[in-house]
């Protein structure tokens, strides 16, 4: 079944007298347990598309069905619920709460989901262990390295067991070795059955995915399967 | 339901962090609320205190007593018209006493201001009341020691005195006034009675606590010649219901005694507590309105300060708000969070203000009647919470309706 089904979506921003066509006419289907990379030059509409997919933004025109339900007909509270339960966001700039430690940052979506305290703490801990930060539970963001911060953010995205993970340039602020570690983590998450969509500028990062979507000027230029997936070292070939 | 509670707790925690992260700013904001709440609490305790004190003072005058006097207590008549009235003299009193039937008690009163001494202690500017032994029947006096002067002492103009509780404690700190000889002006008097405290600090010299009572004859003998000054005739009705009838009777008889023709106006006034009460009421209402206005103003200034700070706080945390929305916070959740923050600031400021006000009013109580009641505590808390909610509403609403994408993009 398609988790995501987009048909002829457009997003137009009005800047003063001028209209900016961030997305012109995008149609797209994404299945469960797919791993999609979105590429394209700066300003081609990658982030706009991601925000749309994550129910953070609504299209100017077109249809978006998430798990068979039309997003444009959802109320504000329903959108908040989808973002909370079904979608895990990972940002380029981490977006952690500076004054909270790792556990509390990971707990946050569970608070909005109404999970009781004890269970919340337990699940947050487990998520941190899963991303390899079992020994950094009570560190604040400024006491963590960039890669570790991104792992906290990934744990936060995973903790609600969402249907899809959306990552907008998750390695953009990291050096290539740390980026590699994060990609290995995504691979692991994908192998556990998650659906992942990520935006990147790096060809080799994109080649971790199964499918690459190339955008240009708000249109899908190319939608291709990856023939030779890039498998991080210390791993067997998957294909 | 549990999610509501969780969000509330999370909101409180966030609020607490936000406040701690900007201590100086929060403290400055709290100052506004602190001053407002202190003003409200002080003002309302002061008003209560004045009310209580006036009430006590007025009731010590007795609600069933008439005071027949040359002067009206409250009147629109020009004072010179009253000054030109004939004095009320002892002969008027004797004839009045012969003719009336309704009153429970009647007493002629003349007073002067004197210095009272015992040994090297003295109290200056004391109201010295001269009357007959019936005077005590026109009052509700209780005695902490001794008695009122007797008929014999009164008729014989003996040098005996009954002193108010405050005079007693000033002259006789050890409370052994009875049978001591005090000096009123140049004259020796023996203390035969001490009044129990009547308790009204506001009435000052008019409070029986600060007065001395002696036989009328001695006033005429030592301090004022018999016909020089107008006396007051105190008339006590049998009961409050009889007050009007007693007043009508007194008016008729006084007119007859003074030989007034039909078309002539009264050349005397019949005063009673009621006039005083309504006069005092009108004063306290003015105090209350002024107080309300001043405290309202300071609260308003505090609220504007909070609103300002909350707007700054929302601006500063735009990205954080965006993130919270991106991971599932509803509008309502964000709204609650910021309302809680402003309420917590106000509540803390308010509670500190309340404590300060209570301490202050204990201190002020030395000079001025105040009365802390615990409805004031509730009032202060309600007011500070209300201020928090009202001043937090607009900023919180701004935060709640932020677009998540714009907020996350905000630099
Ligand atoms: N809020 C906005 N108002 C106006 N124009 C916008 C807004 N957001 C995006 N745009 C425009 O939409 C276009 C697509 O932006 P988008 O952020 O999706 O690009 P991108 O592909 O993610 O680029 P990058 O690789 O640099 O992140 C750009 O031309 C941008 O200027
Ligand atoms: Mg982008």
């Amino acid at each position: 079944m398609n988790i995501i089904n987009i048909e002829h979506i457009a997003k137009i921003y009005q800047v003063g007298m001028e209209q900016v066509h961030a997305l012109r006419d995008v149609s797209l289907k994404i299945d469960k347990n797919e791993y999609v990379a979105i590429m394209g030059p700066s300003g081609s509409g990658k982030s706009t598309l991601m925000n749309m997919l994550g129910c953070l933004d609504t299209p100017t025109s077109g249809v978006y069905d998430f798990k068979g339900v039309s997003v444009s007909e959802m109320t504000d509270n329903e959108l908040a619920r989808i973002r909370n339960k079904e979608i895990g966001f990972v940002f380029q700039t981490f977006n952690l709460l500076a004054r909270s430690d790792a556990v509390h940052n990971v707990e946050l979506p569970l608070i909005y989901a109404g999970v009781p305290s004890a269970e919340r703490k337990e699940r947050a801990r487990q998520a941190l262990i899963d991303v390899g930060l079992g020994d950094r539970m009570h560190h604040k963001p400024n006491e963590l390295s960039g890669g570790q911060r991104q792992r906290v953010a990934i744990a936060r995205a995973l903790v609600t067991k969402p249907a899809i993970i959306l990552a907008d340039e998750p390695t953009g602020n990291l050096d290539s070795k740390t980026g590699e570690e994060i990609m290995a983590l995504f691979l692991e998450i994908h192998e556990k059955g998650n659906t992942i969509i990520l935006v990147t500028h790096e060809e080799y990062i994109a080649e971790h995915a199964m499918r690459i979507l190339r955008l240009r000027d708000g249109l899908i230029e190319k939608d291709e399967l990856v023939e030779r997936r890039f498998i991080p070292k210390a791993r067997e070939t998957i294909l | 339901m549990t999610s509501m509670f969780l969000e509330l707790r999370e909101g409180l925690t966030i609020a607490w962090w936000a406040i701690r992260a900007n201590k100086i700013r929060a403290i400055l904001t709290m100052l506004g609320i602190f001053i407002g709440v202190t003003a409200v609490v002080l003002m309302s305790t002061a008003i209560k205190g004045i009310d209580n004190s006036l009430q006590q003072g007025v009731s010590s005058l007795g609600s069933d007593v008439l005071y027949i006097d040359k002067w009206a207590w409250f009147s629109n008549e020009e004072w010179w018209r009253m000054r030109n009235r004939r004095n009320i003299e002892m002969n008027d009193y004797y004839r009045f006493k012969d003719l009336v039937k309704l009153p429970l008690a009647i007493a002629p009163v003349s007073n002067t201001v004197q210095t009272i001494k015992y040994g090297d202690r003295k109290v200056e500017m004391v109201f010295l009341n001269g009357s007959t032994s019936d005077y005590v029947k026109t009052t509700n006096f209780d005695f902490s020691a001794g008695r009122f002067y007797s008929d014999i002492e009164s008729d014989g103009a003996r040098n005996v005195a009954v002193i108010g509780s405050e005079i007693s404690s000033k002259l006789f700190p050890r409370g052994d006034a009875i049978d001591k000889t005090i000096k009123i002006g140049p004259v020796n008097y023996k203390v035969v009675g001490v009044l129990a405290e009547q308790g009204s600090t506001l009435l000052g010299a008019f409070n029986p606590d600060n007065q001395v009572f002696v036989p009328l004859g001695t006033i005429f003998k030592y301090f004022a010649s018999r016909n020089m000054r107008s006396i007051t005739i105190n008339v006590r009705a049998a009961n409050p219901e009889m007050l009007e009838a007693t007043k009508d009777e007194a008016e008729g008889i006084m007119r007859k005694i003074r030989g007034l023709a039909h078309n002539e106006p009264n050349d005397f006034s019949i005063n009673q507590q009621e006039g005083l009460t309504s006069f005092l009421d009108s004063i306290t209402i003015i105090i209350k309105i002024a107080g309300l206005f001043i405290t309202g103003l300071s609260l308003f200034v505090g609220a504007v300060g909070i609103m300002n700070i909350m707007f700054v706080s929302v601006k500063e945390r735009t990205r954080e708000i965006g993130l919270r929305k991106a991971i599932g916070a509803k509008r309502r959740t964000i709204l609650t969070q910021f309302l809680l923050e402003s309420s917590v600031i106000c509540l803390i400021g308010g509670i500190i203000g309340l404590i300060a006000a209570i301490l202050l009013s204990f201190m002020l109580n030395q000079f001025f009647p105040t009365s802390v009641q615990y409805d004031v505590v509730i009032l202060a808390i309600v007011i500070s919470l209300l201020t928090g909610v009202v001043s937090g509403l607009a900023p919180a609403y701004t935060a709640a309706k932020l677009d998540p994408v714009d907020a996350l993009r905000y630099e």
Side-chain angles (χ1 to χ4, degrees), chain A residues 13 15 20 22 41-48 169 201, chain B residues 406 409:
Chain A
Y13 290 108
V15 182
V20 180
S42 190
S44 56
K46 304 182 296 293
S47 296
T48 307
E169 299 191 46
H201 282 286
Chain B
D406 289 345
R409 214 187 275 264

Side-chain angles (χ1 to χ4, degrees), chain B residues 117-129:
Chain B
K117 281 191 213 152
Y118 177 74
D120 48 9
R121 294 199 184 89
K122 67 174 177 184
V123 187
E124 281 169 348
M125 304 280 287
V126 174
F127 237 71
L128 184 65
N129 280 284

Side-chain angles (χ1 to χ4, degrees), chain B residues 65-366:
Chain B
V65 183
L66 303 170
Y67 302 85
I68 305 175
D69 204 309
K70 177 175 165 181
W71 302 91
W73 287 353
F74 308 100
S75 152
N76 301 324
E77 228 170 309
E78 291 94 341
W79 68 274
W80 55 266
R81 216 186 279 278
M82 291 199 272
R83 190 198 56 192
N84 288 344
R85 287 171 168 179
R86 276 176 293 154
N87 283 349
I88 298 174
E89 297 176 346
M90 283 306 283
N91 282 336
D92 294 329
Y93 160 70
Y94 292 130
R95 291 178 62 197
F96 183 80
K97 193 181 176 189
D98 281 344
L99 293 171
V100 289
K101 300 195 173 55
L102 295 177
L104 182 75
I106 310 166
V109 181
S110 178
N111 28 42
T112 131
V113 174
Q114 292 295 331
T115 299
I116 317 286
K117 281 191 213 152
Y118 177 74
D120 48 9
R121 294 199 184 89
K122 67 174 177 184
V123 187
E124 281 169 348
M125 304 280 287
V126 174
F127 237 71
L128 184 65
N129 280 284
S131 188
T132 62
S133 53
D134 284 343
Y135 179 81
V136 71
K137 295 180 200 157
T138 67
T139 69
N140 295 317
F141 287 168
D142 289 323
F143 291 82
S144 65
R147 56 178 174 81
F148 206 70
Y149 47 82
S150 67
D151 291 349
I152 297 169
E153 288 162 338
S154 167
D155 294 346
R158 302 275 177 76
N159 292 5
V160 291
V162 173
I163 61 179
S165 63
E166 218 168 302
I167 304 281
S168 168
S169 59
K170 280 178 186 154
L171 294 183
F172 305 98
R174 280 185 289 144
D176 50 356
I178 297 298
D179 286 341
K180 296 282 161 41
T181 300
I182 56 174
K183 256 192 163 31
I184 300 179
V187 189
N188 286 331
Y189 277 82
K190 192 176 81 171
V191 178
V192 296
V194 179
L195 296 184
E197 197 182 321
Q198 309 294 307
S200 168
T201 39
L202 262 203
L203 291 184
F206 299 97
N207 178 2
D209 291 344
N210 292 321
Q211 295 182 6
V212 171
F213 305 83
V214 297
L216 186 56
T218 69
I219 296 264
F220 293 144
K221 203 157 42 169
Y222 304 119
F223 304 108
S225 72
R226 178 171 284 256
N227 294 327
M228 247 178 60
R229 211 176 294 195
S230 185
I231 62 166
T232 304
I233 304 173
N234 292 10
V235 179
R236 186 176 198 171
N239 54 54
E241 289 76 55
M242 289 294 288
L243 191 65
E244 275 313 300
T246 310
K247 190 177 178 178
D248 290 345
E249 185 200 40
E251 186 177 359
I253 290 171
M254 280 304 289
R255 285 183 68 87
K256 192 166 144 196
I257 293 170
R258 309 273 270 182
L260 297 178
H262 277 304
N263 52 357
E264 281 180 291
N266 288 349
D267 63 349
F268 56 91
S269 296
I270 301 182
N271 298 306
Q272 62 192 89
Q273 187 208 65
E274 202 176 289
L276 185 62
T277 317
S278 58
F279 172 71
L280 292 177
D281 278 353
S282 65
I283 289 181
T284 46
I285 280 179
I286 290 169
I287 295 176
K288 279 175 196 173
I289 291 174
L292 219 68
F293 183 73
I294 294 166
T295 53
L297 209 63
S298 63
L299 263 177
F300 179 75
V301 170
V304 168
I306 299 232
M307 196 181 287
N308 189 20
I309 289 296
M310 291 310 295
F311 271 122
V312 171
S313 181
V314 168
K315 256 268 154 1
E316 266 185 8
R317 280 145 69 191
T318 302
R319 278 180 77 92
E320 179 193 320
I321 295 164
L323 169 77
R324 287 177 185 276
K325 289 195 142 188
I327 61 173
K330 300 188 182 78
R331 285 187 179 188
R332 194 193 66 209
T333 318
I334 302 289
L335 191 82
T336 322
Q337 177 190 325
F338 281 93
L339 281 184
L340 277 173
E341 185 173 328
S342 63
S343 305
V344 167
I345 289 181
C346 286
L347 196 60
I348 295 175
I351 287 173
I352 298 173
L354 178 66
I355 293 169
I358 290 174
L359 292 180
L360 264 175
S361 70
F362 279 132
M363 269 155 56
L364 277 181
N365 209 7
Q366 321 276 340

Side-chain angles (χ1 to χ4, degrees), chain B residues 9-66:
Chain B
R9 238 186 50 179
E10 169 72 6
L12 273 176
T13 319
I14 296 165
W16 184 240
W17 276 335
I19 291 166
R20 275 205 335 203
N22 279 300
K23 284 196 201 73
I24 307 270
R25 200 173 71 184
I27 286 169
L28 287 177
T29 320
M30 277 175 203
L31 202 63
I33 280 307
F34 164 84
I35 291 169
V37 168
T38 309
V40 168
V41 172
L42 269 187
M43 195 59 76
S44 78
T45 45
I47 287 172
K48 281 253 169 55
I50 292 170
D51 263 358
N52 287 351
S53 171
L54 287 179
Q55 226 57 58
Q56 277 177 8
V58 168
S59 66
S60 76
L61 287 174
S63 62
D64 50 1
V65 183
L66 303 170

